[in-house]
């Protein structure tokens, strides 16, 4: 087993450890690496980075970082933040539906940040809060995609997504290929008008519900990708793996999809050169851009996903006096 496979479970466990968060946050070199993946802590910083990315010909999906909220006031604060952000983004969004082409700007939501885990009425609170954000996004000409979290939230999340799509049919959601249920979810959710972001998965999950190890996860990803490409929706291929990106392009060609009928998604700060190369080939590329002061869990999952990120971080630590 590779060293990265051994380290990944530990890093994913650390992503939800308050003690580790305090430790990692105090390390001076952490900020430099976090800045590579996170567009600052403020809305102004996020909007400035958004402008640069849009000017490069890429699309954007902005995530105000936060999750696992168990305080109603904090959930309401997250809604207020998204409403302010959308007001700023409206100035950059197209004024029309752009002839049916993909929207260049999107916001990503985590339902747990909107109150999904509240002990009373969490489902209804998250639904109401997400509805407010979707309404503002519709007015601003911005797409919305609901993020996936750990497997315990999947049923609730997809239920809320289903309810929201009755009023907002362009609403997207995320499916994680490493979950054993996801092939069935892809079949159920790949109908007309659907938008599915397919990623490999970034949480620590038991073998009872998730494939373990890169080969098994890769095979699952390819199976899910084929289902979505043969479906009637708009696949959003979220991967930095060259093999997965090449497979997506081949599948799109085989199924007769135009470049307006699917997109590639990558994280801010990862494979920028490849992102721009794909844009040069007239491929739609969307950059997932997180920001905010709740960066720790996101940062640790990025370290767990890519050994190169972890190696860079460790080298930085050993070179710091």
């Amino acid at each position: 087993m590779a060293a990265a496979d051994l380290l990944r479970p530990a890093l994913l466990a650390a992503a939800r450890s308050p003690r580790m968060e305090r430790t990692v946050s105090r390390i001076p070199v952490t900020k430099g690496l976090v800045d590579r993946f996170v567009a600052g802590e403020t809305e102004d910083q996020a909007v400035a980075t958004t402008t640069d990315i849009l000017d490069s010909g890429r699309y954007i999906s902005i995530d105000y970082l936060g999750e696992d909220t168990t305080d109603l006031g904090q959930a309401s604060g997250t809604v207020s933040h998204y409403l302010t952000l959308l007001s700023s983004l409206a100035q950059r969004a197209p004024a029309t539906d752009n002839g049916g082409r993909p929207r260049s700007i999107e916001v990503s939501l985590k339902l747990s940040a909107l109150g999904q885990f509240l002990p009373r009425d969490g489902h209804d609170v998250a639904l109401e809060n997400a509805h407010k954000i979707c309404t503002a996004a519709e007015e601003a000409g911005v797409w919305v995609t609901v993020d996936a979290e750990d497997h315990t939230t999947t049923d609730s999340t997809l239920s809320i997504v289903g309810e929201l799509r009755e009023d907002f049919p362009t609403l997207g959601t995320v499916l994680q290929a490493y979950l054993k249920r996801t092939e069935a979810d892809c079949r159920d959710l790949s109908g007309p008008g659907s938008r599915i972001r397919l990623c490999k998965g970034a949480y620590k999950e038991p073998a009872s519900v998730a494939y373990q190890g890169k080969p098994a996860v890769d095979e699952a990803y390819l199976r899910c990708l084929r289902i979505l490409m043969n479906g009637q929706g708009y696949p959003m291929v979220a991967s930095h793996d060259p093999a997965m990106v090449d497979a997506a392009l081949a599948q799109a060609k085989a199924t007769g999809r135009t470049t307006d009928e699917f997109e590639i998604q990558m994280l801010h700060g990862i494979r920028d050169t490849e992102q721009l190369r794909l844009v040069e080939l007239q491929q739609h590329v969307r950059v997932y851009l997180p920001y905010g002061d709740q960066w720790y869990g996101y940062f640790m999952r990025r370290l767990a996903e890519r050994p190169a990120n972890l190696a860079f971080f460790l080298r930085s630590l050993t070179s710091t006096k």
Side-chain angles (χ1 to χ4, degrees):
M1 182 179 291
D5 291 331
L6 294 172
L7 284 170
R8 186 172 186 271
L11 288 167
L12 291 177
R16 289 192 163 177
S17 166
R19 180 178 178 183
M20 282 299 298
E21 179 175 2
R22 289 191 296 271
T23 300
V24 171
S25 299
R26 292 191 188 109
I27 301 172
V29 74
T30 298
K31 185 179 186 303
L33 188 54
V34 170
D35 287 346
R36 174 181 171 184
F37 303 121
V38 178
E41 296 188 354
T42 70
E43 175 197 315
D44 288 345
Q45 290 171 314
V47 172
T49 304
T50 293
T51 299
D52 291 341
I53 290 171
L54 292 175
D55 288 347
S56 74
R58 292 171 287 179
Y59 295 165
I60 194 84
S61 185
I62 308 178
D63 175 20
Y64 177 58
L65 291 169
E67 55 191 274
D68 298 347
T69 297
T70 57
D71 178 83
L72 182 59
Q74 188 175 359
S76 297
T78 298
V79 174
S80 296
H81 196 105
Y82 269 105
L83 297 182
T84 301
L85 173 66
L86 285 164
S87 179
S88 298
L89 294 176
Q91 301 173 34
R92 291 300 310 258
T96 68
D97 66 1
N98 208 23
R101 298 185 66 200
R103 292 280 184 178
S104 59
I105 302 176
E106 173 189 83
V107 294
S108 288
L109 309 178
K110 283 186 171 59
L111 293 180
S112 73
L114 301 181
Q116 188 179 30
F117 291 165
L118 290 173
R120 293 185 59 188
D121 302 322
H123 179 100
D124 292 336
V125 170
L127 174 61
E128 180 181 353
N129 284 337
H131 198 282
K132 292 176 183 177
I133 295 171
C134 289
T135 299
E138 189 80 8
E139 294 172 355
V142 172
W143 268 351
V144 177
T145 288
V146 174
D147 271 336
E149 301 182 63
D150 71 68
H151 81 279
T152 64
T153 69
T154 303
D155 284 332
S156 172
T157 295
L158 294 183
S159 174
I160 290 173
V161 166
E163 292 180 73
L164 288 169
R165 289 197 77 235
E166 294 178 7
D167 292 329
F168 309 101
T170 64
L171 181 74
T173 194
V174 179
L175 296 177
Q176 301 179 101
Y178 70 169
L179 295 181
K180 294 177 180 178
R181 62 174 288 168
T182 297
E183 286 177 70
D185 288 334
C186 284
R187 292 188 184 94
D188 291 342
L189 299 173
S190 60
S194 68
R195 288 194 308 114
I196 301 297
R197 177 191 300 157
L198 181 66
C199 66
K200 289 186 179 180
Y203 291 84
K204 186 178 186 298
E205 301 285 15
S208 58
V209 300
Y211 297 107
Q212 308 293 308
K214 187 177 187 303
V217 174
D218 285 354
E219 290 172 7
Y221 193 97
L222 292 172
R223 292 194 299 270
C224 293
L225 179 63
R226 282 191 287 272
I227 293 169
L228 294 178
M229 285 293 183
N230 281 284
Q232 298 174 283
Y234 179 81
M236 301 180 289
V237 184
S239 180
H240 307 99
D241 186 335
M244 300 301 113
V245 174
D246 288 346
L249 297 177
Q251 282 286 321
K253 183 176 181 180
T255 54
R257 287 183 177 270
T258 69
T259 55
D260 282 343
E261 294 175 319
F262 76 105
E263 65 184 46
I264 306 296
Q265 296 190 357
M266 296 188 188
L267 300 174
H268 174 58
I270 299 180
R271 301 197 74 200
D272 280 352
T273 300
E274 175 64 6
Q275 293 176 23
L276 295 172
R277 185 189 74 84
L278 289 168
V279 170
E280 287 292 319
L281 296 175
Q282 307 304 310
Q283 177 59 53
H284 296 315
V285 176
R286 192 176 304 273
V287 179
Y288 187 88
L289 181 73
Y291 79 102
D293 56 10
Q294 301 297 310
W295 52 263
Y296 172 75
Y298 177 85
F299 170 70
M300 294 301 288
R301 289 193 289 272
R302 298 296 77 76
L303 292 185
E305 284 176 349
R306 288 175 57 83
N309 295 340
L310 179 59
F312 180 81
F313 184 54
L314 293 177
R315 283 197 304 271
S316 299
L317 290 179
T318 57
S319 64
T320 301
K321 303 299 183 183

